[in-house]
Amino acid sequence: MKTKTFLVLVGLATTQSMFNSCAEDNNNLQNESYQSTASLSKTTPSFTNGNYFADPQAVNAGFEFIRSKFAQNPGYVLNQQDLNAFYDKAQIVPNERLPLDQVNSIINKTISLMQVPFAQAIQQLNISNAAKSLAITINDGSIIHLEANAAYNNLPANEKSMIKNINDYKYNTEQGNYMITGIPTSKQPLWITGGMIGMVGGGLIGFAVAGPVGALVGAGIGVVGGIVTGAILGAK
């Protein structure tokens, strides 16, 4: 992909900094018990609550908005007005919107990690071996009734949220619930891989900046960025 396209992609999640508050929020997240209730799914989608990818509506809206901009103009550069519209359509809450430098790092890391298998990439994440094993399993196929999985239930709250997001994302790709307009079916695996690898790249960068909370948010943005990256690669 041309450098210009990469620069366009990094604009996917540029806004006011959110990581200043992440460090103090980390302790609260670690002490919270993981919620997996019907009421949670009705709240605003959130990476840190582990329910962002439960409903594909928000992902679809954000992805389709960005895709349409590239479809209209391959050299499109995201501006602040469109960025704000993207955040609104994707329903990314204000405190989970990353600044440009971190997103740039996530996209670059995602691009490099797409050269290696997911099972190899996930080993770089600063999460437990149990969480890594679950992520690798999910990459091969989503886990039905994840909340009943013993290994999952023994994870700390932040890892539960991350694994829940990954599992929901994988499940929706398997069900064909994401709108990938204009991309040949034979090339769609690229954006699926991009999303999974984006989670790893985002988690790496996010953790380095703000620990477990930052890893969760980075992973979430990484998945969305990976979807767009993979979709553009697949469309070529």
Side-chain angles (χ1 to χ4, degrees), residues 55-76:
D55 186 337
Q57 181 177 356
V59 181
N60 277 335
F63 172 81
E64 185 62 20
F65 176 75
I66 296 298
R67 188 211 60 80
S68 69
K69 294 296 179 179
F70 281 102
Q72 296 167 18
N73 176 16
Y76 167 74

Side-chain angles (χ1 to χ4, degrees), residues 132-146:
K132 291 175 182 177
S133 179
L134 283 168
I136 291 170
T137 298
I138 291 168
N139 187 52
D140 293 331
S142 63
I143 299 175
I144 305 301
H145 304 305
L146 178 65

Side-chain angles (χ1 to χ4, degrees), residues 13-34:
T14 307
T15 189
Q16 71 269 19
S17 174
M18 54 72 65
F19 277 133
N20 290 337
S21 63
C22 279
E24 62 186 56
D25 290 341
N26 180 37
N27 290 333
N28 293 332
L29 179 65
Q30 294 283 7
N31 294 328
E32 290 177 356
S33 60
Y34 179 75

Side-chain angles (χ1 to χ4, degrees), residues 87-101:
Y87 281 138
D88 290 341
K89 292 178 183 296
Q91 297 182 43
I92 297 175
V93 294
N95 67 331
E96 296 184 0
R97 300 176 180 185
L98 305 188
L100 177 60
D101 59 341

Side-chain angles (χ1 to χ4, degrees), residues 27 29 43 57 66 72 99 106 122 135 138 150 156 163 179 209 221:
N27 290 333
L29 179 65
T43 62
Q57 181 177 356
I66 296 298
Q72 296 167 18
I106 287 171
I122 196 70
I138 291 168
I163 295 302
M179 298 182 296
V209 174
I221 292 293

